[in-house]
Amino acid sequence: MEKLERYEPLVEEFDAFLEACQRTLPSVVRVNTIKATPERAKAALDEEGVGWTDREWSETVLELDTDNPGSTWASYHGWIHGQEEVSAIPAEVLGPEPGEVVWDACAAPGSKTTQLSALMDDEGLVVANDNNLGRLSALRFNTERLGVTNTAVTNTDSRNFSLKPFDFDAFDKALVDVPCSCEGTIRKNPTALDDWTMDHVRSVAGVQKGILRRAVQATKEGGTVVYSTCTFAPEENEAVLDYVLGEEDCRLVEFDLGLDSRPGVTEFEGEEYDESVRKAKRFYPHHNDTGGFFCAKLEVGE
Amino acid sequence: MSDQTNPTNDGQQFDRLPATADDREVEGRATRKEVLDWWDQRFEIPPETFEEFTFWEKGKGKIWILHGDIASPLRIEALGMKFLRTRQEHWKPTTNAVQRFGREATKNVVEVTREEARRFVRGEDQELDWDGDWGYLVVSHELAGGLEPLGVGLYVHGELRSPVPKGRQRDL
């Protein structure tokens, strides 16, 4: 936990924050609307005596009163999918529509890819890329288990992703949920911070900048790019946005979400970032009883 | 002698299935018409069900289904969902395809009890009374107000075999 002390100047009620980071997470699932309506998924859970609680901000996110949501008929049929609550944020913010062509730049293991497909009613195309071949098998397993048929899976480094295989030259929207130092997953994985170093933060920040730049370039004028991480480090969040705002044609835009959040920060440890990064949102574990998360919405073009 | 070789299946790329036998260039490749006819004849799933979908081969006999269309050929890792295994005596649908499209089936659908369903998804074979066709069946059970496909089962010699892949098996 001492590795989180550096965020004390950013986080209100810092003790409550640290305490929340030490509690286990509630068991949360997303209803996969490609295979079932929320009503039918809830009815299946009722039949098995598995209690559920709605989340106000999303019709498809449910908290279950079991530690093992995988051991339900609803899960076997692909009607529900275990997904941490904050992990359901970026696809909702991106808001893809049926028929659009969407890029998921860091897609494995596929929770967000399948959520994008569901939001699109499985119509249009989600190009799901990941640079890690091993993790692609999990992605493919999940898309097929959830009945998704509108994905194309590619295996390249997103920093120099090529549209050449495809018969279109830009995406309508892109989801950039980058590899990060994962500080926000401490409640799910208590050893998440064991290997934390400042060098690692700096090194992933470099990769994050490259991926976000490529996503802005590959998205059409007026299109939307959502950038997200599961970390608190401004070096991987606001600093990456600040850098890309300077290098590519894009701007931050406001978004609403029915979860408690704090705005992006404009200074940290002597660094200053563009004022507009305040439009990004920081999600802290003690505010909504979730993991930690960061999410920003960008529009491509001036 | 001609030095022109017949085109063969390339396991590295997705090729859209030809519409009919007349359009076929790769020997042994299933056609769109054959795939639609197979689902119609085997399960009475009407061909219109797949109107908005395209079918692709990558890997010999492995047919994939995509909602929509895209340029062919395509050298990528995966496209849509693995759907059907052809180029063998009995074509075999995937568990995931039957879960997704099997609700439309009206023929060769066997309804099992909850206990039989548990055995099926554990990957166990079981004795079962069934006076319909032998071969691949849509195995369904009642869940939340409707019949829901568990996957594809193989019925032979009074026995329902469970081809549910290891990774999809559950102890429920």
Short mmCIF file of all heavy atoms in Angstrom, two decimals, chain B residues 129-160:
data_model
loop_
_atom_site.label_atom_id
_atom_site.label_comp_id
_atom_site.label_asym_id
_atom_site.label_seq_id
_atom_site.Cartn_x
_atom_site.Cartn_y
_atom_site.Cartn_z
N ASP B 129 -33.59 -41.95 -24.32
CA ASP B 129 -34.61 -42.38 -25.30
C ASP B 129 -34.83 -41.27 -26.31
O ASP B 129 -35.17 -40.15 -25.93
CB ASP B 129 -35.93 -42.69 -24.59
CG ASP B 129 -35.85 -44.02 -23.87
OD1 ASP B 129 -35.07 -44.89 -24.33
OD2 ASP B 129 -36.52 -44.19 -22.84
N TRP B 130 -34.66 -41.59 -27.56
CA TRP B 130 -34.86 -40.60 -28.63
C TRP B 130 -35.24 -41.37 -29.87
O TRP B 130 -34.47 -42.23 -30.33
CB TRP B 130 -33.56 -39.81 -28.83
CG TRP B 130 -33.48 -39.00 -30.11
CD1 TRP B 130 -32.73 -39.28 -31.21
CD2 TRP B 130 -34.16 -37.77 -30.41
NE1 TRP B 130 -32.89 -38.32 -32.17
CE2 TRP B 130 -33.77 -37.38 -31.71
CE3 TRP B 130 -35.07 -36.97 -29.71
CZ2 TRP B 130 -34.25 -36.23 -32.32
CZ3 TRP B 130 -35.54 -35.82 -30.32
CH2 TRP B 130 -35.13 -35.45 -31.60
N ASP B 131 -36.44 -41.12 -30.42
CA ASP B 131 -36.84 -41.91 -31.58
C ASP B 131 -36.70 -41.14 -32.88
O ASP B 131 -37.23 -41.52 -33.91
CB ASP B 131 -38.26 -42.48 -31.40
CG ASP B 131 -39.25 -41.40 -31.01
OD1 ASP B 131 -38.90 -40.21 -31.14
OD2 ASP B 131 -40.37 -41.74 -30.56
N GLY B 132 -35.93 -40.06 -32.85
CA GLY B 132 -35.66 -39.31 -34.08
C GLY B 132 -34.38 -39.79 -34.75
O GLY B 132 -33.89 -40.89 -34.49
N ASP B 133 -33.85 -38.93 -35.62
CA ASP B 133 -32.63 -39.25 -36.36
C ASP B 133 -31.44 -39.47 -35.43
O ASP B 133 -31.35 -38.86 -34.38
CB ASP B 133 -32.25 -38.08 -37.29
CG ASP B 133 -33.21 -37.93 -38.45
OD1 ASP B 133 -34.11 -38.79 -38.59
OD2 ASP B 133 -33.06 -36.95 -39.21
N TRP B 134 -30.53 -40.32 -35.87
CA TRP B 134 -29.22 -40.38 -35.23
C TRP B 134 -28.37 -39.27 -35.81
O TRP B 134 -28.67 -38.71 -36.86
CB TRP B 134 -28.54 -41.72 -35.51
CG TRP B 134 -29.17 -42.87 -34.79
CD1 TRP B 134 -30.42 -42.92 -34.25
CD2 TRP B 134 -28.58 -44.14 -34.53
NE1 TRP B 134 -30.65 -44.14 -33.68
CE2 TRP B 134 -29.54 -44.92 -33.83
CE3 TRP B 134 -27.32 -44.71 -34.82
CZ2 TRP B 134 -29.27 -46.23 -33.43
CZ3 TRP B 134 -27.06 -46.01 -34.43
CH2 TRP B 134 -28.03 -46.76 -33.72
N GLY B 135 -27.29 -38.93 -35.10
CA GLY B 135 -26.38 -37.90 -35.58
C GLY B 135 -26.40 -36.68 -34.67
O GLY B 135 -26.72 -36.80 -33.48
N TYR B 136 -26.06 -35.54 -35.22
CA TYR B 136 -25.94 -34.33 -34.39
C TYR B 136 -27.30 -33.72 -34.09
O TYR B 136 -28.13 -33.54 -34.98
CB TYR B 136 -25.02 -33.32 -35.07
CG TYR B 136 -23.58 -33.81 -35.08
CD1 TYR B 136 -22.94 -34.14 -36.27
CD2 TYR B 136 -22.90 -33.97 -33.88
CE1 TYR B 136 -21.63 -34.61 -36.27
CE2 TYR B 136 -21.60 -34.44 -33.86
CZ TYR B 136 -20.97 -34.76 -35.05
OH TYR B 136 -19.69 -35.24 -35.02
N LEU B 137 -27.53 -33.44 -32.81
CA LEU B 137 -28.79 -32.87 -32.34
C LEU B 137 -28.54 -31.55 -31.63
O LEU B 137 -27.47 -31.33 -31.06
CB LEU B 137 -29.46 -33.82 -31.34
CG LEU B 137 -29.70 -35.28 -31.73
CD1 LEU B 137 -30.39 -36.01 -30.57
CD2 LEU B 137 -30.55 -35.37 -33.00
N VAL B 138 -29.57 -30.71 -31.64
CA VAL B 138 -29.56 -29.53 -30.76
C VAL B 138 -30.07 -30.00 -29.41
O VAL B 138 -31.21 -30.45 -29.30
CB VAL B 138 -30.45 -28.40 -31.31
CG1 VAL B 138 -30.55 -27.26 -30.30
CG2 VAL B 138 -29.92 -27.88 -32.64
N VAL B 139 -29.23 -29.93 -28.39
CA VAL B 139 -29.63 -30.36 -27.05
C VAL B 139 -30.07 -29.12 -26.27
O VAL B 139 -29.29 -28.18 -26.10
CB VAL B 139 -28.46 -31.07 -26.33
CG1 VAL B 139 -28.90 -31.55 -24.96
CG2 VAL B 139 -27.95 -32.23 -27.18
N SER B 140 -31.34 -29.12 -25.83
CA SER B 140 -31.89 -27.93 -25.19
C SER B 140 -32.50 -28.27 -23.84
O SER B 140 -32.86 -29.41 -23.58
CB SER B 140 -32.98 -27.31 -26.07
OG SER B 140 -32.44 -26.84 -27.27
N HIS B 141 -32.61 -27.27 -23.00
CA HIS B 141 -33.36 -27.43 -21.75
C HIS B 141 -34.16 -26.16 -21.49
O HIS B 141 -33.93 -25.12 -22.10
CB HIS B 141 -32.44 -27.79 -20.57
CG HIS B 141 -31.54 -26.68 -20.11
ND1 HIS B 141 -31.12 -26.56 -18.81
CD2 HIS B 141 -30.98 -25.63 -20.78
CE1 HIS B 141 -30.33 -25.49 -18.70
NE2 HIS B 141 -30.24 -24.92 -19.88
N GLU B 142 -35.11 -26.30 -20.57
CA GLU B 142 -35.98 -25.18 -20.22
C GLU B 142 -35.23 -24.26 -19.25
O GLU B 142 -34.71 -24.72 -18.24
CB GLU B 142 -37.24 -25.76 -19.56
CG GLU B 142 -38.26 -24.75 -19.11
CD GLU B 142 -39.06 -24.15 -20.27
OE1 GLU B 142 -39.14 -24.80 -21.34
OE2 GLU B 142 -39.57 -23.05 -20.09
N LEU B 143 -35.16 -22.98 -19.59
CA LEU B 143 -34.50 -22.03 -18.69
C LEU B 143 -35.16 -20.66 -18.83
O LEU B 143 -35.30 -20.15 -19.94
CB LEU B 143 -33.00 -21.93 -19.02
CG LEU B 143 -32.16 -21.02 -18.11
CD1 LEU B 143 -32.06 -21.57 -16.70
CD2 LEU B 143 -30.76 -20.80 -18.69
N ALA B 144 -35.57 -20.12 -17.70
CA ALA B 144 -36.12 -18.76 -17.66
C ALA B 144 -37.20 -18.53 -18.72
O ALA B 144 -37.14 -17.57 -19.49
CB ALA B 144 -35.00 -17.74 -17.79
N GLY B 145 -38.17 -19.45 -18.77
CA GLY B 145 -39.33 -19.23 -19.61
C GLY B 145 -39.17 -19.59 -21.07
O GLY B 145 -39.97 -19.17 -21.90
N GLY B 146 -38.16 -20.35 -21.41
CA GLY B 146 -38.00 -20.75 -22.81
C GLY B 146 -37.03 -21.91 -22.93
O GLY B 146 -36.32 -22.25 -21.97
N LEU B 147 -37.04 -22.52 -24.13
CA LEU B 147 -36.11 -23.61 -24.40
C LEU B 147 -34.79 -23.00 -24.85
O LEU B 147 -34.78 -22.16 -25.74
CB LEU B 147 -36.71 -24.48 -25.51
CG LEU B 147 -36.37 -25.97 -25.52
CD1 LEU B 147 -36.71 -26.62 -24.18
CD2 LEU B 147 -37.12 -26.66 -26.65
N GLU B 148 -33.70 -23.41 -24.23
CA GLU B 148 -32.40 -22.79 -24.54
C GLU B 148 -31.38 -23.86 -24.92
O GLU B 148 -31.20 -24.83 -24.18
CB GLU B 148 -31.93 -21.99 -23.32
CG GLU B 148 -30.70 -21.16 -23.56
CD GLU B 148 -30.91 -20.01 -24.55
OE1 GLU B 148 -32.06 -19.67 -24.87
OE2 GLU B 148 -29.89 -19.47 -25.03
N PRO B 149 -30.73 -23.72 -26.08
CA PRO B 149 -29.77 -24.74 -26.51
C PRO B 149 -28.51 -24.77 -25.65
O PRO B 149 -27.87 -23.74 -25.43
CB PRO B 149 -29.42 -24.33 -27.95
CG PRO B 149 -30.06 -23.04 -28.22
CD PRO B 149 -30.87 -22.62 -27.05
N LEU B 150 -28.17 -25.97 -25.19
CA LEU B 150 -26.94 -26.18 -24.41
C LEU B 150 -25.75 -26.35 -25.33
O LEU B 150 -24.61 -26.11 -24.95
CB LEU B 150 -27.07 -27.45 -23.57
CG LEU B 150 -28.11 -27.41 -22.46
CD1 LEU B 150 -28.62 -28.82 -22.16
CD2 LEU B 150 -27.53 -26.78 -21.21
N GLY B 151 -26.03 -26.84 -26.54
CA GLY B 151 -24.95 -27.11 -27.48
C GLY B 151 -25.36 -28.24 -28.40
O GLY B 151 -26.53 -28.62 -28.46
N VAL B 152 -24.36 -28.79 -29.11
CA VAL B 152 -24.64 -29.87 -30.03
C VAL B 152 -24.32 -31.20 -29.33
O VAL B 152 -23.32 -31.31 -28.62
CB VAL B 152 -23.82 -29.71 -31.33
CG1 VAL B 152 -22.33 -29.61 -31.06
CG2 VAL B 152 -24.11 -30.84 -32.31
N GLY B 153 -25.19 -32.18 -29.50
CA GLY B 153 -24.96 -33.52 -28.97
C GLY B 153 -24.89 -34.51 -30.12
O GLY B 153 -25.41 -34.24 -31.20
N LEU B 154 -24.22 -35.63 -29.89
CA LEU B 154 -24.17 -36.68 -30.91
C LEU B 154 -24.97 -37.88 -30.41
O LEU B 154 -24.63 -38.46 -29.38
CB LEU B 154 -22.72 -37.08 -31.20
CG LEU B 154 -22.57 -38.24 -32.21
CD1 LEU B 154 -23.11 -37.86 -33.58
CD2 LEU B 154 -21.10 -38.66 -32.32
N TYR B 155 -26.05 -38.22 -31.13
CA TYR B 155 -26.89 -39.33 -30.71
C TYR B 155 -26.63 -40.56 -31.57
O TYR B 155 -26.80 -40.54 -32.78
CB TYR B 155 -28.37 -38.96 -30.80
CG TYR B 155 -29.24 -40.02 -30.17
CD1 TYR B 155 -29.41 -40.04 -28.79
CD2 TYR B 155 -29.84 -41.02 -30.93
CE1 TYR B 155 -30.16 -41.03 -28.18
CE2 TYR B 155 -30.60 -42.01 -30.34
CZ TYR B 155 -30.75 -42.02 -28.96
OH TYR B 155 -31.49 -43.00 -28.36
N VAL B 156 -26.14 -41.64 -30.93
CA VAL B 156 -25.94 -42.93 -31.61
C VAL B 156 -26.17 -44.07 -30.62
O VAL B 156 -25.85 -43.94 -29.44
CB VAL B 156 -24.49 -43.08 -32.19
CG1 VAL B 156 -24.33 -42.34 -33.51
CG2 VAL B 156 -23.45 -42.65 -31.20
N HIS B 157 -26.75 -45.20 -31.12
CA HIS B 157 -26.91 -46.42 -30.31
C HIS B 157 -27.54 -46.16 -28.94
O HIS B 157 -27.05 -46.64 -27.92
CB HIS B 157 -25.56 -47.12 -30.10
CG HIS B 157 -24.85 -47.48 -31.38
ND1 HIS B 157 -25.33 -48.43 -32.26
CD2 HIS B 157 -23.70 -47.01 -31.92
CE1 HIS B 157 -24.51 -48.53 -33.30
NE2 HIS B 157 -23.53 -47.67 -33.13
N GLY B 158 -28.61 -45.36 -28.91
CA GLY B 158 -29.30 -45.15 -27.64
C GLY B 158 -28.53 -44.28 -26.66
O GLY B 158 -28.86 -44.22 -25.48
N GLU B 159 -27.50 -43.61 -27.15
CA GLU B 159 -26.65 -42.83 -26.24
C GLU B 159 -26.49 -41.40 -26.76
O GLU B 159 -26.28 -41.19 -27.95
CB GLU B 159 -25.28 -43.51 -26.18
CG GLU B 159 -24.37 -42.94 -25.13
CD GLU B 159 -23.01 -43.63 -25.10
OE1 GLU B 159 -22.29 -43.60 -26.13
OE2 GLU B 159 -22.67 -44.20 -24.06
N LEU B 160 -26.61 -40.46 -25.84
CA LEU B 160 -26.35 -39.06 -26.19
C LEU B 160 -24.92 -38.72 -25.76
O LEU B 160 -24.60 -38.72 -24.57
CB LEU B 160 -27.32 -38.12 -25.48
CG LEU B 160 -27.12 -36.62 -25.76
CD1 LEU B 160 -27.43 -36.27 -27.21
CD2 LEU B 160 -27.96 -35.78 -24.81
#
